[in-house]
Amino acid sequence: MTAPLPGPAAAPVRVPLDRRLARAAQTVTSRALGPYQTAIVRIGFALTWLFFLVREFPHRHEMYGPDGPWSFELARRLIGDNRAFTVLMWSDGRLWFEVVYGLAVVAAALLLVGWHTRAVSVVFMVGALSLQNRSVFLGDGGDNVVHLVSIYLTLLRCGQVWSLDARRAARRAARGEAAAGRVELAGPVLWVVLGGFLVAATWFSPVTGEWWMYVLLWVLWLGQGLWWLVEQYAPGEPRTLLDVLANLTHNAALTVLMAEVCLIYATAGWYKIQGSRWQDGTALFYPLHLDYFTPWPALSELLASSGIAVMLLSYGTVIVQVAFPFTLFHRKVKNVLLVAMMLEHAGIALLLGLPAFSLAMIAADAVFLPTVFLVWLGARVARGRDRLLRRTPAAEPPPRAGAGGEDGGEGAGGKSGGEDAARTLVG
């Protein structure tokens, strides 16, 4: 019996533009894209800033405090011109500096574990901006990335997974109606305390900060209070509306963050192309011979002694940085370049002694990591934690749209944060 001949291949069905736009609008409003990516960004930047603050703790007075070469009067005159935001301009006292530095350390630690993420992310931003803007001539490039991302984190729903907020929301859902009438005091108390700080910040607004910073702080504070009221007394349609607004804000901030990372690499790559040392492949030879950029002189000398290695690394750096923004929609190539960039920053941390810069850039790159890899990584970390604590592992439920605790609704992740958000926006 002869097999039937295969018929002509059916032409792909073309989805109308209005339907694609409706589907994209439903996606960006119904869920917060990239929950695992934004969680790893939150963890990465909180860890980076915490590592920096702890490492520089013995030198904090010379770097940002009253004993530094950049005096309070010089900082006051500069901030009077550029209107940078820093609460350290409220007073030049040593006690006030210690309070701000200590709160910055505590906020970084709490953001790392995801405790009341919305409120703590604002404190994290205030601490980062205050210390960095106090002495603007300190930093290695990573401080600029922390500066920007600390603002984006206040708009991202970055506590959907891998956080104490997510665990609290899961326990509340497991208890069901038994926990419906319980009111947690930590959130309202934190909201009142931050309200008092915001009143003080507004009082000192003529001294430091642009007007938009205070508008952002007031909007975040009022929005948090409104969210708590709706969650307690109107969990129906008002809560759904707030979820939609929060998802829109999250997805917009996620898109800006991805564009920022692409812009950083594109700008760095195209500027390198214009340099003669990068064109002839010898650019990396020179920083490897600078005394203050060689924590391991023997290793730097070994690498610099190989002309072929220096040339390959120089050209490879330029190629990867220039090509990366153009590979976002090709998953396999994008992932290869992503690994290459992370290895490049790990090499910078090792060879040039810039760990904070490298950690910040790796944390920013993590927004493009595939969801499958992040879920696998989270499972391995959880398994190792359970073995270390010798307890029965508990499976973490995947994030769901509209379910949430302090940090709000959960959203499902796509193939990767970059691909999912970018494909949605372009339809």
Side-chain angles (χ1 to χ4, degrees), residues 16 60 123 222-223 266 328:
R60 64 192 184 282
V123 182
L222 292 174
L328 292 183

Side-chain angles (χ1 to χ4, degrees), residues 265-288:
Y265 283 116
T267 303
W270 286 107
Y271 268 108
K272 287 182 175 66
I273 288 177
Q274 302 174 41
S276 59
R277 299 308 179 196
W278 290 99
Q279 292 175 6
D280 59 25
T282 62
L284 293 184
F285 176 83
Y286 301 98
L288 291 175

Side-chain angles (χ1 to χ4, degrees), residues 211-223:
W211 63 269
W212 64 265
M213 175 59 68
Y214 297 97
V215 172
L216 174 64
L217 292 175
W218 276 108
V219 168
L220 292 173
W221 184 75
L222 292 174

Side-chain angles (χ1 to χ4, degrees), residues 294-304:
T294 53
W296 310 98
L299 184 59
S300 299
E301 183 63 30
L302 177 63
L303 180 60

